[in-house]
Amino acid sequence: MEITFIGSGDAFGSGGRFQTCIRVRAEGATALVDCGATSLTAMRAQGVDPGEVGAVVITHLHGDHFGGLPFLVLDGQFTRRTAPLTVFGPVGTRDRLHTAMETLYPGSTGVPRRFEVEVVELDGAGGTRPHGPFSLRSWEVDHASGAPALAVRVDAGAHGFGYSGDTAWTPALGAAADGADVFACEAYTWDQQVRYHLDYRTLREHAGELAAGRLVLTHMGPKMLARLREAEHAAAVDGLVLDAGML
């Protein structure tokens, strides 16, 4: 399993980083974990072909985590994509994607396409959804977005990747991290508590409950970025590639 942080930033581009978009590749298949509004630009900048993406796993329905989906779908339409695209996300994803596409590009949902876009809504209770070589699970977390917010897990064979999404500390993160090769976790601030988000001081206090091979910080705001050298855990950057088999 290869994990690439195509985007590792917060909603506001702090530090010049792209919004959340993490590519997971295994056995010739590609999935994205989140697809923020800047994702298509980030993919082009890093030489990643959007047409290789077979699935997108969305943690929650804020623009910096799912706002790139309309552009990904329309890119497939204009490049004459034929391979199906499956979008996994929390309850409400289907309606929110339709609304977003019609808001950004009115009439776009009614245009015939050469490929199918299937939306599968996740239960947020740890249930498993297979997709090609991937096994997907989700747990509901503490983040307000007008729909359930999720921590997610993507497994393939003996390897696994977990991601917190945006959330205050919740024991659900322990379930998402358990046994993963890599667990990417929000560290939005250094020690300032922001509602529905996780600060690094709190994360560090609970790090022992995250039984993953490697904990990687992501979705960092300006105050966290300013103190990265003081952090005990590695931080993602745009373009970081991790090989789960080598960790």
Side-chain angles (χ1 to χ4, degrees):
M1 175 182 284
E2 181 186 82
I3 302 153
T4 304
F5 289 82
I6 293 172
S8 62
D10 63 2
F12 311 108
S14 297
R17 295 166 179 241
F18 291 111
Q19 295 170 352
T20 303
C21 181
I22 304 165
R23 181 178 68 169
V24 180
R25 301 179 71 184
E27 300 179 30
T30 299
L32 296 182
V33 176
D34 278 347
C35 187
T38 59
S39 294
L40 202 64
T41 303
M43 293 170 75
R44 300 288 192 207
Q46 295 175 35
V48 176
D49 177 11
E52 77 176 49
V53 177
V56 184
V57 185
I58 298 296
T59 61
H60 65 285
L61 301 181
H62 278 154
D64 57 316
H65 292 262
F66 103 106
L69 279 177
F71 301 99
L72 184 66
V73 171
L74 290 174
D75 179 77
Q77 178 180 324
F78 286 104
T79 57
R80 297 182 175 271
R81 175 184 177 129
T82 58
L85 177 67
T86 305
V87 176
F88 297 89
V91 172
T93 298
R94 183 178 293 104
D95 289 344
R96 191 79 68 88
L97 176 58
H98 184 277
T99 299
M101 292 193 67
E102 284 299 313
T103 298
L104 295 170
Y105 295 99
S108 62
T109 60
V111 176
R113 291 186 288 265
R114 295 168 178 260
F115 66 101
E116 179 183 1
V117 178
E118 180 184 11
V119 178
V120 178
E121 297 186 343
L122 301 171
D123 64 7
T128 300
R129 287 277 191 170
H131 183 79
F134 300 115
S135 176
L136 313 175
R137 287 179 287 165
S138 63
W139 296 264
E140 190 165 346
V141 295
D142 184 11
H143 188 72
S145 60
L150 307 173
V152 298
R153 176 70 171 266
V154 180
D155 291 296
H159 299 293
F161 169 72
Y163 176 46
S164 66
D166 287 2
T167 180
W169 172 259
T170 167
L173 299 186
D178 189 26
D181 295 85
V182 176
F183 185 68
C185 193
E186 176 188 33
Y188 185 54
T189 65
W190 179 261
D191 58 6
Q192 179 186 2
Q193 293 190 345
V194 177
R195 192 179 186 190
Y196 302 127
H197 287 279
L198 190 56
D199 62 277
Y200 182 61
R201 180 175 64 182
T202 301
L203 173 59
R204 187 171 51 196
E205 291 171 354
H206 290 280
E209 301 170 45
L210 303 174
R214 184 172 182 179
L215 175 63
V216 179
L217 311 178
T218 192
H219 200 276
M220 296 165 285
K223 293 181 179 179
M224 180 64 198
L225 291 172
R227 300 185 67 171
L228 270 184
R229 291 186 178 182
E230 301 174 51
E232 299 171 14
H233 299 90
V237 295
D238 292 358
L240 173 67
V241 180
L242 300 175
D243 185 338
M246 300 296 290
L247 298 175

PDB file of all heavy atoms in Angstrom, residues 177-197:
ATOM      1  N   ALA A 177      -7.626   3.837  14.223  1.00  0.00           N
ATOM      2  CA  ALA A 177      -6.167   3.699  14.168  1.00  0.00           C
ATOM      3  C   ALA A 177      -5.690   2.281  14.436  1.00  0.00           C
ATOM      4  O   ALA A 177      -4.574   1.909  14.039  1.00  0.00           O
ATOM      5  CB  ALA A 177      -5.525   4.636  15.196  1.00  0.00           C
ATOM      6  N   ASP A 178      -6.505   1.471  15.088  1.00  0.00           N
ATOM      7  CA  ASP A 178      -6.070   0.172  15.598  1.00  0.00           C
ATOM      8  C   ASP A 178      -5.496  -0.729  14.503  1.00  0.00           C
ATOM      9  O   ASP A 178      -6.211  -1.155  13.594  1.00  0.00           O
ATOM     10  CB  ASP A 178      -7.242  -0.527  16.279  1.00  0.00           C
ATOM     11  CG  ASP A 178      -6.812  -1.778  17.023  1.00  0.00           C
ATOM     12  OD1 ASP A 178      -5.636  -1.862  17.438  1.00  0.00           O
ATOM     13  OD2 ASP A 178      -7.652  -2.683  17.180  1.00  0.00           O
ATOM     14  N   GLY A 179      -4.194  -0.989  14.581  1.00  0.00           N
ATOM     15  CA  GLY A 179      -3.545  -1.894  13.642  1.00  0.00           C
ATOM     16  C   GLY A 179      -3.190  -1.290  12.301  1.00  0.00           C
ATOM     17  O   GLY A 179      -2.638  -1.989  11.437  1.00  0.00           O
ATOM     18  N   ALA A 180      -3.466  -0.007  12.090  1.00  0.00           N
ATOM     19  CA  ALA A 180      -3.123   0.630  10.821  1.00  0.00           C
ATOM     20  C   ALA A 180      -1.610   0.812  10.709  1.00  0.00           C
ATOM     21  O   ALA A 180      -0.928   1.034  11.712  1.00  0.00           O
ATOM     22  CB  ALA A 180      -3.812   1.986  10.701  1.00  0.00           C
ATOM     23  N   ASP A 181      -1.086   0.729   9.509  1.00  0.00           N
ATOM     24  CA  ASP A 181       0.319   1.066   9.284  1.00  0.00           C
ATOM     25  C   ASP A 181       0.542   2.550   9.509  1.00  0.00           C
ATOM     26  O   ASP A 181       1.545   2.962  10.101  1.00  0.00           O
ATOM     27  CB  ASP A 181       0.727   0.700   7.856  1.00  0.00           C
ATOM     28  CG  ASP A 181       0.671  -0.784   7.599  1.00  0.00           C
ATOM     29  OD1 ASP A 181      -0.425  -1.275   7.272  1.00  0.00           O
ATOM     30  OD2 ASP A 181       1.703  -1.453   7.740  1.00  0.00           O
ATOM     31  N   VAL A 182      -0.397   3.360   9.013  1.00  0.00           N
ATOM     32  CA  VAL A 182      -0.323   4.819   9.139  1.00  0.00           C
ATOM     33  C   VAL A 182      -1.675   5.335   9.603  1.00  0.00           C
ATOM     34  O   VAL A 182      -2.719   4.938   9.066  1.00  0.00           O
ATOM     35  CB  VAL A 182       0.051   5.483   7.798  1.00  0.00           C
ATOM     36  CG1 VAL A 182       0.021   7.006   7.916  1.00  0.00           C
ATOM     37  CG2 VAL A 182       1.407   5.006   7.308  1.00  0.00           C
ATOM     38  N   PHE A 183      -1.664   6.207  10.593  1.00  0.00           N
ATOM     39  CA  PHE A 183      -2.871   6.914  10.998  1.00  0.00           C
ATOM     40  C   PHE A 183      -2.600   8.397  10.884  1.00  0.00           C
ATOM     41  O   PHE A 183      -1.730   8.947  11.570  1.00  0.00           O
ATOM     42  CB  PHE A 183      -3.280   6.565  12.427  1.00  0.00           C
ATOM     43  CG  PHE A 183      -4.587   7.194  12.834  1.00  0.00           C
ATOM     44  CD1 PHE A 183      -5.778   6.789  12.255  1.00  0.00           C
ATOM     45  CD2 PHE A 183      -4.630   8.193  13.800  1.00  0.00           C
ATOM     46  CE1 PHE A 183      -6.994   7.367  12.629  1.00  0.00           C
ATOM     47  CE2 PHE A 183      -5.828   8.778  14.180  1.00  0.00           C
ATOM     48  CZ  PHE A 183      -7.013   8.365  13.595  1.00  0.00           C
ATOM     49  N   ALA A 184      -3.295   9.061   9.986  1.00  0.00           N
ATOM     50  CA  ALA A 184      -3.179  10.507   9.813  1.00  0.00           C
ATOM     51  C   ALA A 184      -4.205  11.176  10.715  1.00  0.00           C
ATOM     52  O   ALA A 184      -5.388  10.812  10.697  1.00  0.00           O
ATOM     53  CB  ALA A 184      -3.420  10.890   8.358  1.00  0.00           C
ATOM     54  N   CYS A 185      -3.760  12.147  11.493  1.00  0.00           N
ATOM     55  CA  CYS A 185      -4.649  12.742  12.484  1.00  0.00           C
ATOM     56  C   CYS A 185      -4.556  14.253  12.446  1.00  0.00           C
ATOM     57  O   CYS A 185      -3.462  14.829  12.366  1.00  0.00           O
ATOM     58  CB  CYS A 185      -4.277  12.239  13.875  1.00  0.00           C
ATOM     59  SG  CYS A 185      -5.534  12.605  15.123  1.00  0.00           S
ATOM     60  N   GLU A 186      -5.712  14.877  12.515  1.00  0.00           N
ATOM     61  CA  GLU A 186      -5.767  16.334  12.588  1.00  0.00           C
ATOM     62  C   GLU A 186      -5.006  16.853  13.808  1.00  0.00           C
ATOM     63  O   GLU A 186      -5.103  16.295  14.906  1.00  0.00           O
ATOM     64  CB  GLU A 186      -7.226  16.795  12.683  1.00  0.00           C
ATOM     65  CG  GLU A 186      -7.351  18.295  12.860  1.00  0.00           C
ATOM     66  CD  GLU A 186      -8.767  18.751  13.146  1.00  0.00           C
ATOM     67  OE1 GLU A 186      -9.520  18.018  13.802  1.00  0.00           O
ATOM     68  OE2 GLU A 186      -9.104  19.864  12.724  1.00  0.00           O
ATOM     69  N   ALA A 187      -4.239  17.909  13.602  1.00  0.00           N
ATOM     70  CA  ALA A 187      -3.629  18.662  14.704  1.00  0.00           C
ATOM     71  C   ALA A 187      -3.780  20.133  14.318  1.00  0.00           C
ATOM     72  O   ALA A 187      -2.826  20.773  13.887  1.00  0.00           O
ATOM     73  CB  ALA A 187      -2.176  18.275  14.905  1.00  0.00           C
ATOM     74  N   TYR A 188      -4.970  20.647  14.475  1.00  0.00           N
ATOM     75  CA  TYR A 188      -5.301  21.950  13.912  1.00  0.00           C
ATOM     76  C   TYR A 188      -4.564  23.084  14.613  1.00  0.00           C
ATOM     77  O   TYR A 188      -4.085  24.033  13.981  1.00  0.00           O
ATOM     78  CB  TYR A 188      -6.808  22.166  13.971  1.00  0.00           C
ATOM     79  CG  TYR A 188      -7.259  23.443  13.310  1.00  0.00           C
ATOM     80  CD1 TYR A 188      -6.899  23.731  11.993  1.00  0.00           C
ATOM     81  CD2 TYR A 188      -8.046  24.356  13.987  1.00  0.00           C
ATOM     82  CE1 TYR A 188      -7.302  24.897  11.377  1.00  0.00           C
ATOM     83  CE2 TYR A 188      -8.462  25.530  13.378  1.00  0.00           C
ATOM     84  CZ  TYR A 188      -8.081  25.795  12.074  1.00  0.00           C
ATOM     85  OH  TYR A 188      -8.481  26.958  11.475  1.00  0.00           O
ATOM     86  N   THR A 189      -4.456  23.004  15.928  1.00  0.00           N
ATOM     87  CA  THR A 189      -3.740  24.025  16.698  1.00  0.00           C
ATOM     88  C   THR A 189      -2.716  23.343  17.595  1.00  0.00           C
ATOM     89  O   THR A 189      -2.722  22.118  17.748  1.00  0.00           O
ATOM     90  CB  THR A 189      -4.698  24.848  17.571  1.00  0.00           C
ATOM     91  OG1 THR A 189      -5.287  23.985  18.557  1.00  0.00           O
ATOM     92  CG2 THR A 189      -5.797  25.490  16.737  1.00  0.00           C
ATOM     93  N   TRP A 190      -1.850  24.150  18.209  1.00  0.00           N
ATOM     94  CA  TRP A 190      -0.853  23.575  19.133  1.00  0.00           C
ATOM     95  C   TRP A 190      -1.501  23.193  20.467  1.00  0.00           C
ATOM     96  O   TRP A 190      -1.445  22.047  20.877  1.00  0.00           O
ATOM     97  CB  TRP A 190       0.298  24.554  19.349  1.00  0.00           C
ATOM     98  CG  TRP A 190       1.328  24.033  20.297  1.00  0.00           C
ATOM     99  CD1 TRP A 190       1.446  24.342  21.629  1.00  0.00           C
ATOM    100  CD2 TRP A 190       2.366  23.098  20.010  1.00  0.00           C
ATOM    101  NE1 TRP A 190       2.499  23.658  22.184  1.00  0.00           N
ATOM    102  CE2 TRP A 190       3.079  22.886  21.205  1.00  0.00           C
ATOM    103  CE3 TRP A 190       2.763  22.424  18.855  1.00  0.00           C
ATOM    104  CZ2 TRP A 190       4.176  22.023  21.295  1.00  0.00           C
ATOM    105  CZ3 TRP A 190       3.859  21.563  18.933  1.00  0.00           C
ATOM    106  CH2 TRP A 190       4.545  21.372  20.139  1.00  0.00           C
ATOM    107  N   ASP A 191      -2.116  24.150  21.110  1.00  0.00           N
ATOM    108  CA  ASP A 191      -2.760  23.842  22.388  1.00  0.00           C
ATOM    109  C   ASP A 191      -4.080  24.575  22.587  1.00  0.00           C
ATOM    110  O   ASP A 191      -4.769  24.354  23.572  1.00  0.00           O
ATOM    111  CB  ASP A 191      -1.829  24.131  23.564  1.00  0.00           C
ATOM    112  CG  ASP A 191      -1.342  25.581  23.606  1.00  0.00           C
ATOM    113  OD1 ASP A 191      -1.819  26.405  22.793  1.00  0.00           O
ATOM    114  OD2 ASP A 191      -0.474  25.892  24.447  1.00  0.00           O
ATOM    115  N   GLN A 192      -4.445  25.427  21.655  1.00  0.00           N
ATOM    116  CA  GLN A 192      -5.718  26.142  21.748  1.00  0.00           C
ATOM    117  C   GLN A 192      -6.860  25.202  21.390  1.00  0.00           C
ATOM    118  O   GLN A 192      -6.853  24.581  20.332  1.00  0.00           O
ATOM    119  CB  GLN A 192      -5.731  27.343  20.808  1.00  0.00           C
ATOM    120  CG  GLN A 192      -7.041  28.122  20.831  1.00  0.00           C
ATOM    121  CD  GLN A 192      -7.073  29.229  19.789  1.00  0.00           C
ATOM    122  OE1 GLN A 192      -6.132  29.390  19.023  1.00  0.00           O
ATOM    123  NE2 GLN A 192      -8.156  29.979  19.759  1.00  0.00           N
ATOM    124  N   GLN A 193      -7.841  25.105  22.258  1.00  0.00           N
ATOM    125  CA  GLN A 193      -8.973  24.230  21.997  1.00  0.00           C
ATOM    126  C   GLN A 193      -9.996  24.967  21.146  1.00  0.00           C
ATOM    127  O   GLN A 193     -10.497  26.021  21.527  1.00  0.00           O
ATOM    128  CB  GLN A 193      -9.591  23.750  23.308  1.00  0.00           C
ATOM    129  CG  GLN A 193      -8.666  22.835  24.103  1.00  0.00           C
ATOM    130  CD  GLN A 193      -9.355  22.169  25.269  1.00  0.00           C
ATOM    131  OE1 GLN A 193     -10.439  22.565  25.679  1.00  0.00           O
ATOM    132  NE2 GLN A 193      -8.720  21.143  25.817  1.00  0.00           N
ATOM    133  N   VAL A 194     -10.258  24.403  19.977  1.00  0.00           N
ATOM    134  CA  VAL A 194     -11.242  24.941  19.045  1.00  0.00           C
ATOM    135  C   VAL A 194     -12.360  23.915  18.927  1.00  0.00           C
ATOM    136  O   VAL A 194     -12.085  22.730  18.684  1.00  0.00           O
ATOM    137  CB  VAL A 194     -10.612  25.205  17.661  1.00  0.00           C
ATOM    138  CG1 VAL A 194     -11.667  25.699  16.680  1.00  0.00           C
ATOM    139  CG2 VAL A 194      -9.471  26.214  17.786  1.00  0.00           C
ATOM    140  N   ARG A 195     -13.555  24.340  19.078  1.00  0.00           N
ATOM    141  CA  ARG A 195     -14.688  23.413  19.072  1.00  0.00           C
ATOM    142  C   ARG A 195     -14.700  22.567  17.802  1.00  0.00           C
ATOM    143  O   ARG A 195     -14.508  23.095  16.700  1.00  0.00           O
ATOM    144  CB  ARG A 195     -16.001  24.185  19.203  1.00  0.00           C
ATOM    145  CG  ARG A 195     -17.208  23.306  19.505  1.00  0.00           C
ATOM    146  CD  ARG A 195     -18.463  24.137  19.655  1.00  0.00           C
ATOM    147  NE  ARG A 195     -19.589  23.315  20.073  1.00  0.00           N
ATOM    148  CZ  ARG A 195     -20.851  23.729  20.093  1.00  0.00           C
ATOM    149  NH1 ARG A 195     -21.135  24.980  19.720  1.00  0.00           N
ATOM    150  NH2 ARG A 195     -21.824  22.924  20.480  1.00  0.00           N
ATOM    151  N   TYR A 196     -14.905  21.290  17.966  1.00  0.00           N
ATOM    152  CA  TYR A 196     -15.004  20.311  16.875  1.00  0.00           C
ATOM    153  C   TYR A 196     -13.672  20.021  16.185  1.00  0.00           C
ATOM    154  O   TYR A 196     -13.637  19.389  15.130  1.00  0.00           O
ATOM    155  CB  TYR A 196     -16.029  20.738  15.813  1.00  0.00           C
ATOM    156  CG  TYR A 196     -17.420  20.946  16.354  1.00  0.00           C
ATOM    157  CD1 TYR A 196     -18.101  22.136  16.116  1.00  0.00           C
ATOM    158  CD2 TYR A 196     -18.060  19.951  17.094  1.00  0.00           C
ATOM    159  CE1 TYR A 196     -19.397  22.325  16.595  1.00  0.00           C
ATOM    160  CE2 TYR A 196     -19.357  20.138  17.584  1.00  0.00           C
ATOM    161  CZ  TYR A 196     -20.013  21.323  17.327  1.00  0.00           C
ATOM    162  OH  TYR A 196     -21.292  21.507  17.810  1.00  0.00           O
ATOM    163  N   HIS A 197     -12.564  20.487  16.764  1.00  0.00           N
ATOM    164  CA  HIS A 197     -11.241  20.221  16.183  1.00  0.00           C
ATOM    165  C   HIS A 197     -10.309  19.672  17.260  1.00  0.00           C
ATOM    166  O   HIS A 197     -10.601  19.744  18.455  1.00  0.00           O
ATOM    167  CB  HIS A 197     -10.656  21.490  15.559  1.00  0.00           C
ATOM    168  CG  HIS A 197     -11.312  21.887  14.287  1.00  0.00           C
ATOM    169  ND1 HIS A 197     -11.003  21.310  13.077  1.00  0.00           N
ATOM    170  CD2 HIS A 197     -12.290  22.799  14.038  1.00  0.00           C
ATOM    171  CE1 HIS A 197     -11.747  21.849  12.128  1.00  0.00           C
ATOM    172  NE2 HIS A 197     -12.541  22.762  12.680  1.00  0.00           N
TER     173      HIS A 197
END
